Amino acid sequence: MVNNESSCTAAPGSEYWIFGYGSLIWKPPPVYADRVAGFIKGHVRRFWQKNTDHRGTVDKPGLVVTLIPHAEWKLLDDYHHNHEDDVTWGVAYRIADKDVEDVKAELDFRESGYICRKIDVFQNHRVEPVVKNAIVYIATKDNEEYVGPAPIESIAQQIFTARGPSGPNIDYLINLAKALRIIAPETQDYHLFDLEQRVLRLERQKQLFLENGKEHKTTKKVQSIYDSHQILNNNTNDNNYNLSSSIMEFTSFLHVSRRKENNLSLSSSSSFELQTIPLSSLLLLVI
Protein backbone atom coordinates (compact mmCIF):
# COMPACT_ATOMS: atom_id res chain seq x y z
CA MET A 1 0.00 0.00 0.00
CA VAL A 2 1.29 3.46 -0.92
CA ASN A 3 1.13 6.13 1.77
CA ASN A 4 0.36 9.82 1.37
CA GLU A 5 -2.52 9.31 -1.07
CA SER A 6 -3.09 13.05 -1.59
CA SER A 7 0.29 13.38 -3.28
CA CYS A 8 -0.61 10.59 -5.72
CA THR A 9 -3.32 12.66 -7.37
CA ALA A 10 -2.92 15.52 -9.81
CA ALA A 11 -4.28 18.97 -9.04
CA PRO A 12 -7.77 19.63 -10.44
CA GLY A 13 -7.60 20.59 -14.10
CA SER A 14 -3.96 19.54 -14.52
CA GLU A 15 -2.52 16.62 -16.44
CA TYR A 16 -1.53 13.43 -14.64
CA TRP A 17 2.19 12.70 -15.10
CA ILE A 18 4.26 9.96 -13.45
CA PHE A 19 8.06 10.01 -13.33
CA GLY A 20 9.83 6.64 -13.34
CA TYR A 21 13.48 6.24 -12.32
CA GLY A 22 13.56 2.45 -11.76
CA SER A 23 11.63 -0.35 -13.43
CA LEU A 24 9.16 2.17 -14.87
CA ILE A 25 11.86 3.24 -17.33
CA TRP A 26 11.97 -0.15 -19.05
CA LYS A 27 8.61 -1.51 -17.92
CA PRO A 28 6.16 1.38 -18.40
CA PRO A 29 2.60 1.65 -17.09
CA PRO A 30 0.09 -0.55 -18.96
CA VAL A 31 -1.31 2.46 -20.82
CA TYR A 32 -0.10 6.01 -21.28
CA ALA A 33 -0.86 8.89 -23.63
CA ASP A 34 2.61 10.36 -23.92
CA ARG A 35 6.13 10.01 -22.53
CA VAL A 36 9.30 12.08 -22.37
CA ALA A 37 12.78 11.29 -21.14
CA GLY A 38 14.14 13.75 -18.65
CA PHE A 39 15.80 14.23 -15.29
CA ILE A 40 14.99 15.48 -11.83
CA LYS A 41 17.24 17.53 -9.58
CA GLY A 42 18.26 17.28 -5.97
CA HIS A 43 18.26 13.47 -5.59
CA VAL A 44 20.51 10.45 -6.10
CA ARG A 45 19.36 6.97 -7.15
CA ARG A 46 20.48 4.14 -4.87
CA PHE A 47 19.86 0.39 -4.46
CA TRP A 48 18.93 0.89 -0.82
CA GLN A 49 15.38 -0.49 -0.77
CA LYS A 50 14.80 -4.11 0.21
CA ASN A 51 12.28 -6.00 -1.93
CA THR A 52 10.54 -9.19 -0.84
CA ASP A 53 7.54 -9.36 -3.18
CA HIS A 54 8.91 -8.82 -6.70
CA ARG A 55 12.70 -9.27 -6.95
CA GLY A 56 13.26 -11.25 -3.77
CA THR A 57 11.59 -13.15 -0.98
CA VAL A 58 11.25 -12.73 2.76
CA ASP A 59 14.04 -15.27 3.31
CA LYS A 60 16.26 -13.84 0.57
CA PRO A 61 15.30 -10.23 -0.19
CA GLY A 62 16.37 -8.43 -3.31
CA LEU A 63 17.31 -4.77 -3.69
CA VAL A 64 15.67 -2.11 -5.83
CA VAL A 65 16.25 1.62 -6.24
CA THR A 66 14.86 4.57 -4.39
CA LEU A 67 15.64 8.29 -4.42
CA ILE A 68 17.66 9.95 -1.68
CA PRO A 69 17.45 13.75 -1.29
CA HIS A 70 20.87 15.39 -1.65
CA ALA A 71 20.72 17.06 1.74
CA GLU A 72 20.10 13.70 3.42
CA TRP A 73 22.51 11.75 1.21
CA LYS A 74 25.48 14.01 1.96
CA LEU A 75 25.25 13.03 5.62
CA LEU A 76 25.47 9.29 4.87
CA ASP A 77 28.47 7.01 4.44
CA ASP A 78 28.07 6.14 0.77
CA TYR A 79 30.74 4.31 -1.23
CA HIS A 80 30.09 6.65 -4.17
CA HIS A 81 30.09 9.88 -2.16
CA ASN A 82 32.95 11.26 -4.26
CA HIS A 83 30.88 10.90 -7.41
CA GLU A 84 27.96 13.18 -6.79
CA ASP A 85 25.35 12.69 -9.48
CA ASP A 86 24.03 16.10 -10.49
CA VAL A 87 20.75 14.76 -11.85
CA THR A 88 18.70 11.56 -11.92
CA TRP A 89 17.46 10.51 -15.34
CA GLY A 90 14.21 8.68 -16.00
CA VAL A 91 11.01 8.78 -18.03
CA ALA A 92 7.83 10.77 -17.42
CA TYR A 93 4.51 9.31 -18.59
CA ARG A 94 1.29 11.23 -19.14
CA ILE A 95 -1.77 9.21 -18.23
CA ALA A 96 -5.12 10.01 -19.84
CA ASP A 97 -7.91 10.93 -17.43
CA LYS A 98 -9.88 7.78 -18.24
CA ASP A 99 -6.92 5.56 -17.32
CA VAL A 100 -5.71 7.29 -14.16
CA GLU A 101 -7.51 5.10 -11.62
CA ASP A 102 -6.44 1.81 -13.25
CA VAL A 103 -2.84 2.90 -13.69
CA LYS A 104 -2.67 4.28 -10.18
CA ALA A 105 -3.98 1.01 -8.72
CA GLU A 106 -1.32 -1.03 -10.55
CA LEU A 107 1.50 1.30 -9.59
CA ASP A 108 0.41 1.34 -5.96
CA PHE A 109 0.84 -2.45 -6.02
CA ARG A 110 4.17 -2.35 -7.86
CA GLU A 111 5.56 0.39 -5.66
CA SER A 112 4.44 -1.00 -2.31
CA GLY A 113 6.32 0.59 0.56
CA TYR A 114 6.82 3.85 -1.34
CA ILE A 115 5.19 7.23 -0.85
CA CYS A 116 4.20 9.78 -3.48
CA ARG A 117 5.89 13.10 -4.05
CA LYS A 118 5.58 15.72 -6.78
CA ILE A 119 8.64 16.93 -8.63
CA ASP A 120 9.57 18.84 -11.79
CA VAL A 121 11.18 17.07 -14.75
CA PHE A 122 13.83 18.79 -16.89
CA GLN A 123 15.71 18.23 -20.12
CA ASN A 124 19.14 19.37 -21.27
CA HIS A 125 19.47 22.93 -22.58
CA ARG A 126 16.08 23.97 -21.20
CA VAL A 127 15.74 26.17 -18.15
CA GLU A 128 12.06 25.56 -17.54
CA PRO A 129 10.79 22.06 -16.66
CA VAL A 130 9.21 20.02 -19.43
CA VAL A 131 6.81 18.51 -16.87
CA LYS A 132 5.69 20.25 -13.70
CA ASN A 133 4.59 18.37 -10.58
CA ALA A 134 5.09 14.87 -11.93
CA ILE A 135 4.20 12.19 -9.39
CA VAL A 136 7.14 10.09 -8.24
CA TYR A 137 7.21 7.10 -5.90
CA ILE A 138 9.95 7.33 -3.26
CA ALA A 139 10.87 4.91 -0.47
CA THR A 140 12.05 7.06 2.43
CA LYS A 141 14.29 5.92 5.26
CA ASP A 142 11.20 5.73 7.50
CA ASN A 143 9.75 2.66 5.76
CA GLU A 144 10.63 -0.80 7.07
CA GLU A 145 12.12 -1.98 3.78
CA TYR A 146 14.70 0.80 3.60
CA VAL A 147 18.19 -0.56 4.25
CA GLY A 148 20.40 2.46 3.60
CA PRO A 149 24.10 2.42 2.67
CA ALA A 150 26.02 -0.86 2.60
CA PRO A 151 29.39 -2.07 1.24
CA ILE A 152 29.15 -2.03 -2.55
CA GLU A 153 30.38 -5.64 -2.73
CA SER A 154 27.57 -6.72 -0.40
CA ILE A 155 24.95 -4.94 -2.51
CA ALA A 156 26.26 -6.59 -5.68
CA GLN A 157 26.25 -10.04 -4.06
CA GLN A 158 22.68 -9.62 -2.82
CA ILE A 159 21.44 -8.52 -6.24
CA PHE A 160 23.32 -11.37 -7.89
CA THR A 161 21.74 -14.10 -5.76
CA ALA A 162 18.19 -12.81 -5.10
CA ARG A 163 15.15 -13.93 -7.07
CA GLY A 164 11.43 -13.23 -6.62
CA PRO A 165 8.05 -13.67 -8.33
CA SER A 166 8.98 -11.07 -10.96
CA GLY A 167 12.28 -12.80 -11.75
CA PRO A 168 15.97 -12.56 -10.82
CA ASN A 169 17.11 -9.38 -9.13
CA ILE A 170 20.01 -9.21 -11.59
CA ASP A 171 17.51 -8.67 -14.45
CA TYR A 172 16.17 -5.57 -12.72
CA LEU A 173 19.68 -4.11 -12.46
CA ILE A 174 20.77 -4.97 -16.01
CA ASN A 175 17.53 -3.76 -17.61
CA LEU A 176 17.75 -0.48 -15.73
CA ALA A 177 21.35 0.12 -16.80
CA LYS A 178 20.59 -0.69 -20.45
CA ALA A 179 17.50 1.52 -20.50
CA LEU A 180 19.39 4.43 -18.96
CA ARG A 181 22.04 4.27 -21.66
CA ILE A 182 19.29 4.48 -24.28
CA ILE A 183 17.39 7.45 -22.87
CA ALA A 184 20.48 9.34 -21.67
CA PRO A 185 23.70 8.09 -23.32
CA GLU A 186 25.69 10.94 -21.79
CA THR A 187 24.71 10.26 -18.19
CA GLN A 188 27.13 8.91 -15.57
CA ASP A 189 25.24 7.08 -12.87
CA TYR A 190 28.27 5.81 -10.94
CA HIS A 191 26.33 3.77 -8.40
CA LEU A 192 24.24 1.96 -11.02
CA PHE A 193 27.00 1.31 -13.52
CA ASP A 194 29.48 0.20 -10.86
CA LEU A 195 26.98 -2.36 -9.57
CA GLU A 196 26.29 -3.51 -13.12
CA GLN A 197 29.98 -4.26 -13.72
CA ARG A 198 30.39 -6.04 -10.39
CA VAL A 199 27.36 -8.24 -10.94
CA LEU A 200 28.37 -9.08 -14.50
CA ARG A 201 31.80 -10.08 -13.17
CA LEU A 202 30.12 -12.40 -10.68
CA GLU A 203 28.07 -13.89 -13.51
CA ARG A 204 31.17 -14.53 -15.61
CA GLN A 205 32.91 -16.19 -12.68
CA LYS A 206 29.93 -18.42 -12.04
CA GLN A 207 29.87 -19.49 -15.69
CA LEU A 208 33.41 -20.84 -15.28
CA PHE A 209 31.88 -23.51 -13.05
CA LEU A 210 29.03 -24.33 -15.39
CA GLU A 211 30.46 -24.41 -18.90
CA ASN A 212 30.59 -27.86 -20.46
CA GLY A 213 29.52 -29.55 -17.26
CA LYS A 214 25.85 -29.05 -16.44
CA GLU A 215 25.23 -32.79 -16.56
CA HIS A 216 28.50 -33.79 -14.93
CA LYS A 217 28.17 -34.91 -11.33
CA THR A 218 31.37 -33.05 -10.45
CA THR A 219 30.01 -29.78 -11.78
CA LYS A 220 26.78 -30.30 -9.86
CA LYS A 221 28.77 -30.68 -6.64
CA VAL A 222 30.85 -27.60 -7.43
CA GLN A 223 27.69 -25.62 -8.04
CA SER A 224 26.23 -26.91 -4.78
CA ILE A 225 29.30 -25.68 -2.89
CA TYR A 226 29.03 -22.34 -4.70
CA ASP A 227 25.33 -21.92 -3.90
CA SER A 228 25.53 -22.96 -0.26
CA HIS A 229 28.62 -20.97 0.69
CA GLN A 230 28.28 -18.05 -1.75
CA ILE A 231 31.98 -18.33 -2.60
CA LEU A 232 31.93 -15.55 -5.16
CA ASN A 233 32.45 -12.10 -3.64
CA ASN A 234 30.89 -13.05 -0.29
CA ASN A 235 30.89 -10.41 2.42
CA THR A 236 33.01 -12.06 5.06
CA ASN A 237 32.37 -9.55 7.83
CA ASP A 238 28.57 -9.58 7.64
CA ASN A 239 28.15 -13.34 7.45
CA ASN A 240 31.08 -14.60 9.54
CA TYR A 241 32.09 -16.59 6.51
CA ASN A 242 35.09 -18.89 6.94
CA LEU A 243 37.02 -18.44 3.72
CA SER A 244 39.75 -20.96 4.42
CA SER A 245 37.17 -23.60 5.35
CA SER A 246 35.33 -23.11 2.07
CA ILE A 247 38.51 -23.35 -0.01
CA MET A 248 39.50 -26.48 1.90
CA GLU A 249 36.13 -28.08 1.21
CA PHE A 250 36.36 -27.17 -2.47
CA THR A 251 39.90 -28.46 -2.93
CA SER A 252 39.21 -31.57 -0.85
CA PHE A 253 36.28 -32.43 -3.08
CA LEU A 254 38.34 -31.91 -6.23
CA HIS A 255 41.12 -34.07 -4.82
CA VAL A 256 38.73 -36.96 -4.19
CA SER A 257 37.14 -36.48 -7.60
CA ARG A 258 40.56 -36.48 -9.28
CA ARG A 259 41.37 -39.85 -7.76
CA LYS A 260 38.06 -41.28 -9.02
CA GLU A 261 38.33 -39.93 -12.53
CA ASN A 262 41.34 -39.92 -14.79
CA ASN A 263 40.18 -36.93 -16.80
CA LEU A 264 38.10 -34.34 -14.94
CA SER A 265 37.40 -31.57 -17.44
CA LEU A 266 36.31 -28.11 -16.29
CA SER A 267 36.74 -26.54 -19.71
CA SER A 268 36.52 -27.59 -23.32
CA SER A 269 40.21 -27.08 -24.01
CA SER A 270 42.12 -28.59 -21.10
CA SER A 271 41.98 -31.24 -18.41
CA PHE A 272 41.98 -30.35 -14.73
CA GLU A 273 45.13 -31.16 -12.74
CA LEU A 274 44.77 -30.44 -9.01
CA GLN A 275 48.48 -30.20 -8.34
CA THR A 276 48.91 -27.39 -10.91
CA ILE A 277 46.24 -25.06 -9.50
CA PRO A 278 47.89 -21.94 -8.06
CA LEU A 279 46.48 -20.36 -4.94
CA SER A 280 45.50 -17.33 -6.99
CA SER A 281 43.10 -19.49 -9.00
CA LEU A 282 41.37 -20.59 -5.83
CA LEU A 283 41.21 -17.04 -4.54
CA LEU A 284 39.59 -16.05 -7.84
CA LEU A 285 36.52 -17.76 -6.46
CA VAL A 286 36.13 -15.12 -3.81
CA ILE A 287 37.22 -11.93 -5.52
Side-chain angles (χ1 to χ4, degrees), residues 6 13 25 29 32 54 65-66 74-75 128 131 136 204 206 221 224 226 233 243 251 262 272:
S6 61
I25 298 179
Y32 58 89
H54 295 296
V65 292
T66 188
K74 288 179 179 179
L75 301 177
E128 295 298 318
V131 177
V136 60
R204 287 194 296 270
K206 183 176 180 179
K221 177 61 177 178
S224 173
Y226 164 83
N233 204 22
L243 172 61
T251 54
N262 292 326
F272 179 85

PDB file of all heavy atoms in Angstrom, residues 6 13 25 29 32 54 65-66 74-75 128 131 136 204 206 221 224 226 233 243 251 262 272:
ATOM      1  N   SER A   6      -2.817  11.752  -0.983  1.00  0.00           N
ATOM      2  CA  SER A   6      -3.091  13.049  -1.586  1.00  0.00           C
ATOM      3  C   SER A   6      -2.030  13.456  -2.593  1.00  0.00           C
ATOM      4  O   SER A   6      -2.304  14.137  -3.576  1.00  0.00           O
ATOM      5  CB  SER A   6      -3.219  14.119  -0.492  1.00  0.00           C
ATOM      6  OG  SER A   6      -2.014  14.230   0.235  1.00  0.00           O
ATOM      7  N   GLY A  13      -7.810  19.893 -12.846  1.00  0.00           N
ATOM      8  CA  GLY A  13      -7.595  20.589 -14.103  1.00  0.00           C
ATOM      9  C   GLY A  13      -6.214  20.420 -14.699  1.00  0.00           C
ATOM     10  O   GLY A  13      -5.958  20.907 -15.805  1.00  0.00           O
ATOM     11  N   ILE A  25      11.156   2.809 -16.116  1.00  0.00           N
ATOM     12  CA  ILE A  25      11.862   3.238 -17.330  1.00  0.00           C
ATOM     13  C   ILE A  25      11.735   2.171 -18.409  1.00  0.00           C
ATOM     14  O   ILE A  25      11.437   2.464 -19.570  1.00  0.00           O
ATOM     15  CB  ILE A  25      13.345   3.521 -17.028  1.00  0.00           C
ATOM     16  CG1 ILE A  25      13.486   4.663 -16.023  1.00  0.00           C
ATOM     17  CG2 ILE A  25      14.088   3.870 -18.320  1.00  0.00           C
ATOM     18  CD1 ILE A  25      14.931   4.974 -15.665  1.00  0.00           C
ATOM     19  N   PRO A  29       3.981   1.957 -17.484  1.00  0.00           N
ATOM     20  CA  PRO A  29       2.600   1.654 -17.094  1.00  0.00           C
ATOM     21  C   PRO A  29       1.868   0.938 -18.221  1.00  0.00           C
ATOM     22  O   PRO A  29       2.265   1.040 -19.393  1.00  0.00           O
ATOM     23  CB  PRO A  29       2.006   3.048 -16.828  1.00  0.00           C
ATOM     24  CG  PRO A  29       3.171   3.929 -16.563  1.00  0.00           C
ATOM     25  CD  PRO A  29       4.288   3.394 -17.394  1.00  0.00           C
ATOM     26  N   TYR A  32      -0.482   4.617 -21.480  1.00  0.00           N
ATOM     27  CA  TYR A  32      -0.095   6.013 -21.283  1.00  0.00           C
ATOM     28  C   TYR A  32      -0.329   6.759 -22.585  1.00  0.00           C
ATOM     29  O   TYR A  32      -0.309   6.191 -23.672  1.00  0.00           O
ATOM     30  CB  TYR A  32       1.360   6.143 -20.829  1.00  0.00           C
ATOM     31  CG  TYR A  32       2.378   5.531 -21.761  1.00  0.00           C
ATOM     32  CD1 TYR A  32       2.937   6.259 -22.812  1.00  0.00           C
ATOM     33  CD2 TYR A  32       2.783   4.205 -21.604  1.00  0.00           C
ATOM     34  CE1 TYR A  32       3.866   5.698 -23.659  1.00  0.00           C
ATOM     35  CE2 TYR A  32       3.715   3.635 -22.453  1.00  0.00           C
ATOM     36  CZ  TYR A  32       4.255   4.393 -23.480  1.00  0.00           C
ATOM     37  OH  TYR A  32       5.169   3.828 -24.331  1.00  0.00           O
ATOM     38  N   HIS A  54       8.728  -8.815  -5.250  1.00  0.00           N
ATOM     39  CA  HIS A  54       8.911  -8.819  -6.704  1.00  0.00           C
ATOM     40  C   HIS A  54      10.268  -9.392  -7.115  1.00  0.00           C
ATOM     41  O   HIS A  54      10.337 -10.299  -7.931  1.00  0.00           O
ATOM     42  CB  HIS A  54       8.757  -7.406  -7.266  1.00  0.00           C
ATOM     43  CG  HIS A  54       7.382  -6.831  -7.120  1.00  0.00           C
ATOM     44  ND1 HIS A  54       6.285  -7.371  -7.741  1.00  0.00           N
ATOM     45  CD2 HIS A  54       6.920  -5.775  -6.403  1.00  0.00           C
ATOM     46  CE1 HIS A  54       5.201  -6.675  -7.437  1.00  0.00           C
ATOM     47  NE2 HIS A  54       5.562  -5.701  -6.612  1.00  0.00           N
ATOM     48  N   VAL A  65      15.798   0.240  -6.440  1.00  0.00           N
ATOM     49  CA  VAL A  65      16.247   1.616  -6.245  1.00  0.00           C
ATOM     50  C   VAL A  65      15.194   2.471  -5.561  1.00  0.00           C
ATOM     51  O   VAL A  65      13.992   2.205  -5.637  1.00  0.00           O
ATOM     52  CB  VAL A  65      16.644   2.272  -7.583  1.00  0.00           C
ATOM     53  CG1 VAL A  65      17.888   1.620  -8.146  1.00  0.00           C
ATOM     54  CG2 VAL A  65      15.496   2.225  -8.582  1.00  0.00           C
ATOM     55  N   THR A  66      15.672   3.484  -4.899  1.00  0.00           N
ATOM     56  CA  THR A  66      14.858   4.574  -4.394  1.00  0.00           C
ATOM     57  C   THR A  66      15.633   5.863  -4.599  1.00  0.00           C
ATOM     58  O   THR A  66      16.802   5.842  -5.027  1.00  0.00           O
ATOM     59  CB  THR A  66      14.479   4.379  -2.918  1.00  0.00           C
ATOM     60  OG1 THR A  66      13.528   5.388  -2.536  1.00  0.00           O
ATOM     61  CG2 THR A  66      15.694   4.448  -2.015  1.00  0.00           C
ATOM     62  N   LYS A  74      24.142  13.491   1.641  1.00  0.00           N
ATOM     63  CA  LYS A  74      25.475  14.006   1.959  1.00  0.00           C
ATOM     64  C   LYS A  74      25.897  13.695   3.391  1.00  0.00           C
ATOM     65  O   LYS A  74      27.083  13.754   3.713  1.00  0.00           O
ATOM     66  CB  LYS A  74      25.507  15.515   1.721  1.00  0.00           C
ATOM     67  CG  LYS A  74      25.472  15.884   0.241  1.00  0.00           C
ATOM     68  CD  LYS A  74      25.482  17.394   0.049  1.00  0.00           C
ATOM     69  CE  LYS A  74      25.480  17.748  -1.432  1.00  0.00           C
ATOM     70  NZ  LYS A  74      25.475  19.213  -1.661  1.00  0.00           N
ATOM     71  N   LEU A  75      24.946  13.356   4.230  1.00  0.00           N
ATOM     72  CA  LEU A  75      25.250  13.030   5.623  1.00  0.00           C
ATOM     73  C   LEU A  75      25.509  11.541   5.827  1.00  0.00           C
ATOM     74  O   LEU A  75      25.865  11.120   6.927  1.00  0.00           O
ATOM     75  CB  LEU A  75      24.090  13.462   6.529  1.00  0.00           C
ATOM     76  CG  LEU A  75      23.732  14.953   6.492  1.00  0.00           C
ATOM     77  CD1 LEU A  75      22.518  15.211   7.374  1.00  0.00           C
ATOM     78  CD2 LEU A  75      24.915  15.805   6.923  1.00  0.00           C
ATOM     79  N   GLU A 128      13.355  25.880 -18.134  1.00  0.00           N
ATOM     80  CA  GLU A 128      12.055  25.557 -17.544  1.00  0.00           C
ATOM     81  C   GLU A 128      11.808  24.050 -17.606  1.00  0.00           C
ATOM     82  O   GLU A 128      12.261  23.367 -18.534  1.00  0.00           O
ATOM     83  CB  GLU A 128      10.934  26.297 -18.276  1.00  0.00           C
ATOM     84  CG  GLU A 128      11.009  27.808 -18.132  1.00  0.00           C
ATOM     85  CD  GLU A 128      10.865  28.249 -16.689  1.00  0.00           C
ATOM     86  OE1 GLU A 128       9.998  27.677 -15.980  1.00  0.00           O
ATOM     87  OE2 GLU A 128      11.629  29.136 -16.257  1.00  0.00           O
ATOM     88  N   VAL A 131       7.995  19.001 -17.593  1.00  0.00           N
ATOM     89  CA  VAL A 131       6.808  18.514 -16.872  1.00  0.00           C
ATOM     90  C   VAL A 131       6.863  19.098 -15.457  1.00  0.00           C
ATOM     91  O   VAL A 131       7.884  18.982 -14.778  1.00  0.00           O
ATOM     92  CB  VAL A 131       6.774  16.977 -16.786  1.00  0.00           C
ATOM     93  CG1 VAL A 131       5.561  16.516 -15.962  1.00  0.00           C
ATOM     94  CG2 VAL A 131       6.722  16.352 -18.179  1.00  0.00           C
ATOM     95  N   VAL A 136       6.046  11.040  -8.329  1.00  0.00           N
ATOM     96  CA  VAL A 136       7.144  10.088  -8.243  1.00  0.00           C
ATOM     97  C   VAL A 136       6.992   9.281  -6.960  1.00  0.00           C
ATOM     98  O   VAL A 136       6.602   9.815  -5.918  1.00  0.00           O
ATOM     99  CB  VAL A 136       8.505  10.818  -8.282  1.00  0.00           C
ATOM    100  CG1 VAL A 136       8.645  11.788  -7.129  1.00  0.00           C
ATOM    101  CG2 VAL A 136       9.658   9.837  -8.296  1.00  0.00           C
ATOM    102  N   ARG A 204      30.124 -13.892 -14.808  1.00  0.00           N
ATOM    103  CA  ARG A 204      31.174 -14.534 -15.611  1.00  0.00           C
ATOM    104  C   ARG A 204      31.937 -15.571 -14.790  1.00  0.00           C
ATOM    105  O   ARG A 204      32.268 -16.654 -15.285  1.00  0.00           O
ATOM    106  CB  ARG A 204      32.142 -13.475 -16.151  1.00  0.00           C
ATOM    107  CG  ARG A 204      31.585 -12.622 -17.263  1.00  0.00           C
ATOM    108  CD  ARG A 204      32.672 -11.838 -17.965  1.00  0.00           C
ATOM    109  NE  ARG A 204      33.318 -10.887 -17.078  1.00  0.00           N
ATOM    110  CZ  ARG A 204      32.922  -9.632 -16.912  1.00  0.00           C
ATOM    111  NH1 ARG A 204      31.857  -9.186 -17.547  1.00  0.00           N
ATOM    112  NH2 ARG A 204      33.587  -8.823 -16.101  1.00  0.00           N
ATOM    113  N   LYS A 206      30.788 -17.268 -12.260  1.00  0.00           N
ATOM    114  CA  LYS A 206      29.929 -18.423 -12.044  1.00  0.00           C
ATOM    115  C   LYS A 206      29.900 -19.327 -13.279  1.00  0.00           C
ATOM    116  O   LYS A 206      29.889 -20.551 -13.172  1.00  0.00           O
ATOM    117  CB  LYS A 206      28.506 -17.970 -11.705  1.00  0.00           C
ATOM    118  CG  LYS A 206      27.562 -19.135 -11.391  1.00  0.00           C
ATOM    119  CD  LYS A 206      26.193 -18.646 -10.976  1.00  0.00           C
ATOM    120  CE  LYS A 206      25.273 -19.825 -10.661  1.00  0.00           C
ATOM    121  NZ  LYS A 206      23.918 -19.387 -10.228  1.00  0.00           N
ATOM    122  N   LYS A 221      28.263 -30.832  -8.000  1.00  0.00           N
ATOM    123  CA  LYS A 221      28.766 -30.684  -6.637  1.00  0.00           C
ATOM    124  C   LYS A 221      29.443 -29.328  -6.465  1.00  0.00           C
ATOM    125  O   LYS A 221      29.268 -28.652  -5.453  1.00  0.00           O
ATOM    126  CB  LYS A 221      29.761 -31.809  -6.329  1.00  0.00           C
ATOM    127  CG  LYS A 221      30.406 -31.687  -4.935  1.00  0.00           C
ATOM    128  CD  LYS A 221      29.395 -31.741  -3.817  1.00  0.00           C
ATOM    129  CE  LYS A 221      30.072 -31.682  -2.461  1.00  0.00           C
ATOM    130  NZ  LYS A 221      29.096 -31.684  -1.355  1.00  0.00           N
ATOM    131  N   SER A 224      26.851 -26.820  -6.096  1.00  0.00           N
ATOM    132  CA  SER A 224      26.233 -26.914  -4.779  1.00  0.00           C
ATOM    133  C   SER A 224      27.076 -26.188  -3.736  1.00  0.00           C
ATOM    134  O   SER A 224      26.560 -25.472  -2.873  1.00  0.00           O
ATOM    135  CB  SER A 224      26.058 -28.376  -4.385  1.00  0.00           C
ATOM    136  OG  SER A 224      25.612 -28.486  -3.054  1.00  0.00           O
ATOM    137  N   TYR A 226      29.153 -23.770  -4.370  1.00  0.00           N
ATOM    138  CA  TYR A 226      29.026 -22.344  -4.700  1.00  0.00           C
ATOM    139  C   TYR A 226      27.737 -21.759  -4.130  1.00  0.00           C
ATOM    140  O   TYR A 226      27.729 -20.704  -3.508  1.00  0.00           O
ATOM    141  CB  TYR A 226      29.050 -22.180  -6.222  1.00  0.00           C
ATOM    142  CG  TYR A 226      28.542 -20.840  -6.680  1.00  0.00           C
ATOM    143  CD1 TYR A 226      29.364 -19.724  -6.693  1.00  0.00           C
ATOM    144  CD2 TYR A 226      27.215 -20.697  -7.086  1.00  0.00           C
ATOM    145  CE1 TYR A 226      28.886 -18.491  -7.086  1.00  0.00           C
ATOM    146  CE2 TYR A 226      26.735 -19.470  -7.494  1.00  0.00           C
ATOM    147  CZ  TYR A 226      27.573 -18.376  -7.498  1.00  0.00           C
ATOM    148  OH  TYR A 226      27.095 -17.155  -7.896  1.00  0.00           O
ATOM    149  N   ASN A 233      32.624 -13.471  -4.145  1.00  0.00           N
ATOM    150  CA  ASN A 233      32.450 -12.105  -3.642  1.00  0.00           C
ATOM    151  C   ASN A 233      31.613 -12.025  -2.388  1.00  0.00           C
ATOM    152  O   ASN A 233      30.863 -11.094  -2.183  1.00  0.00           O
ATOM    153  CB  ASN A 233      31.807 -11.228  -4.723  1.00  0.00           C
ATOM    154  CG  ASN A 233      32.118  -9.762  -4.509  1.00  0.00           C
ATOM    155  OD1 ASN A 233      33.096  -9.434  -3.853  1.00  0.00           O
ATOM    156  ND2 ASN A 233      31.300  -8.898  -5.044  1.00  0.00           N
ATOM    157  N   LEU A 243      36.484 -18.298   5.059  1.00  0.00           N
ATOM    158  CA  LEU A 243      37.019 -18.443   3.717  1.00  0.00           C
ATOM    159  C   LEU A 243      37.908 -19.667   3.593  1.00  0.00           C
ATOM    160  O   LEU A 243      37.773 -20.456   2.668  1.00  0.00           O
ATOM    161  CB  LEU A 243      37.797 -17.179   3.346  1.00  0.00           C
ATOM    162  CG  LEU A 243      38.585 -17.212   2.045  1.00  0.00           C
ATOM    163  CD1 LEU A 243      37.620 -17.433   0.895  1.00  0.00           C
ATOM    164  CD2 LEU A 243      39.343 -15.904   1.864  1.00  0.00           C
ATOM    165  N   THR A 251      38.724 -27.744  -2.454  1.00  0.00           N
ATOM    166  CA  THR A 251      39.901 -28.464  -2.930  1.00  0.00           C
ATOM    167  C   THR A 251      39.861 -29.924  -2.504  1.00  0.00           C
ATOM    168  O   THR A 251      40.315 -30.806  -3.236  1.00  0.00           O
ATOM    169  CB  THR A 251      41.180 -27.808  -2.391  1.00  0.00           C
ATOM    170  OG1 THR A 251      41.097 -27.702  -0.964  1.00  0.00           O
ATOM    171  CG2 THR A 251      41.352 -26.418  -2.959  1.00  0.00           C
ATOM    172  N   ASN A 262      40.042 -40.171 -14.194  1.00  0.00           N
ATOM    173  CA  ASN A 262      41.338 -39.916 -14.793  1.00  0.00           C
ATOM    174  C   ASN A 262      41.377 -38.602 -15.559  1.00  0.00           C
ATOM    175  O   ASN A 262      42.427 -38.039 -15.786  1.00  0.00           O
ATOM    176  CB  ASN A 262      41.704 -41.056 -15.763  1.00  0.00           C
ATOM    177  CG  ASN A 262      41.948 -42.353 -15.009  1.00  0.00           C
ATOM    178  OD1 ASN A 262      42.459 -42.325 -13.886  1.00  0.00           O
ATOM    179  ND2 ASN A 262      41.570 -43.463 -15.604  1.00  0.00           N
ATOM    180  N   PHE A 272      41.705 -30.951 -16.042  1.00  0.00           N
ATOM    181  CA  PHE A 272      41.977 -30.354 -14.729  1.00  0.00           C
ATOM    182  C   PHE A 272      43.031 -31.177 -14.009  1.00  0.00           C
ATOM    183  O   PHE A 272      42.928 -32.375 -13.891  1.00  0.00           O
ATOM    184  CB  PHE A 272      40.680 -30.314 -13.926  1.00  0.00           C
ATOM    185  CG  PHE A 272      40.848 -29.746 -12.566  1.00  0.00           C
ATOM    186  CD1 PHE A 272      40.800 -28.388 -12.357  1.00  0.00           C
ATOM    187  CD2 PHE A 272      41.061 -30.578 -11.473  1.00  0.00           C
ATOM    188  CE1 PHE A 272      40.953 -27.867 -11.105  1.00  0.00           C
ATOM    189  CE2 PHE A 272      41.211 -30.059 -10.215  1.00  0.00           C
ATOM    190  CZ  PHE A 272      41.159 -28.697 -10.031  1.00  0.00           C
TER     191      PHE A 272
END
